[in-house]
Amino acid sequence: ISHSSATGEIRLTRGGETLSMGREMALRRRQTDGGFRIAQARRPQNVYPGDLHLVSKLESGTYRLYVVANVYIESYLYGVVPYEMGSSSALEALKAQAVAARTYTLRAMNANASKVDTTADQVYNGSPAERDRAAEAVDATRGIVAMNDGKLTGTYYTASNGGQTESARNAWGSSGVNYLTVKDDPFDRMNP
């Protein structure tokens, strides 16, 4: 696949033949357990289980190519949970992480349907080649989310909080929620 920043044209070359795909194209899987690999990814052995959507958009006089992977949420979580927490963690802790990550994702999607997830949200490295306890935790909690007053709970998490959580109201002002308050975290001292 090649892209012209001057014209916005996306070209597909296979077997010596080149076809113009216009300014938008999609590569869809033929089976749901397939996906694509990203050569320069941090984990090149992982499969990114989704359909690939390419869109060329004119911005400031030049065309930029946007590449979007459309992934089912449970498949997405296979690539989040082991990298946010580590597959060697206790199974019940991994289940809690799976629920928190699923809730976080759905809440973010509901807040802004056109938002694209980045590592500022959650780490996503595609699905590991081998099934592990993190995948078991995702499967065991399939479809389970955390709710508060009939709404998806704000399930913010971090690798370390310095020994104390921050109030969501202090962090984000009026968008804060009353159940996320300042609390001491004695377990953070164990964080390497």
Side-chain angles (χ1 to χ4, degrees):
I1 298 174
S2 60
H3 173 255
S4 168
S5 60
T7 66
E9 180 185 27
I10 301 169
R11 292 177 297 280
L12 175 66
T13 302
R14 183 166 184 218
E17 184 180 355
T18 300
L19 301 169
S20 174
M21 306 307 290
R23 292 193 180 116
E24 188 170 341
M25 72 176 282
L27 299 171
R28 302 200 193 287
R29 297 169 294 164
R30 291 184 1 191
Q31 53 195 32
T32 57
D33 63 347
F36 55 92
R37 295 188 193 282
I38 300 175
Q40 60 272 49
R42 281 182 259 166
R43 309 229 187 261
Q45 72 280 10
N46 290 2
V47 172
Y48 288 73
D51 300 328
L52 201 58
H53 190 193
L54 302 142
V55 180
S56 183
K57 291 186 178 183
L58 184 61
E59 294 179 2
S60 303
T62 186
Y63 283 93
R64 290 188 60 185
L65 183 65
Y66 290 90
V67 181
V68 178
N70 295 303
V71 181
Y72 294 118
I73 190 163
E74 301 300 325
S75 298
Y76 170 76
L77 292 173
Y78 293 146
V80 170
V81 174
Y83 303 110
E84 285 289 357
M85 186 165 208
S87 293
S88 62
S89 298
L91 182 59
E92 292 305 311
L94 288 165
K95 287 179 185 179
Q97 179 64 39
V99 171
R102 184 182 295 108
T103 304
Y104 180 94
T105 303
L106 291 173
R107 190 169 191 263
M109 289 172 63
N110 287 343
N112 185 353
S114 65
K115 182 181 184 306
V116 176
D117 183 41
T118 70
T119 55
D121 296 296
Q122 298 180 112
V123 174
Y124 174 63
N125 286 321
S127 295
E130 296 177 11
R131 306 286 290 168
D132 58 14
R133 289 192 337 184
E136 183 183 340
V138 170
D139 291 341
T141 62
R142 183 173 296 273
I144 298 173
V145 294
M147 304 287 286
N148 186 50
D149 288 333
K151 296 178 185 162
L152 292 167
T153 302
T155 54
Y156 308 105
Y157 52 89
T158 181
S160 178
N161 59 30
Q164 190 175 64
T165 65
E166 176 59 279
S167 160
R169 199 168 307 284
N170 288 344
W172 297 294
S174 63
S175 67
V177 288
N178 61 3
Y179 51 84
L180 296 176
T181 60
V182 176
K183 292 182 181 176
D184 287 334
D185 179 5
F187 302 103
D188 195 61
R189 286 182 235 158
M190 294 182 272
N191 190 342

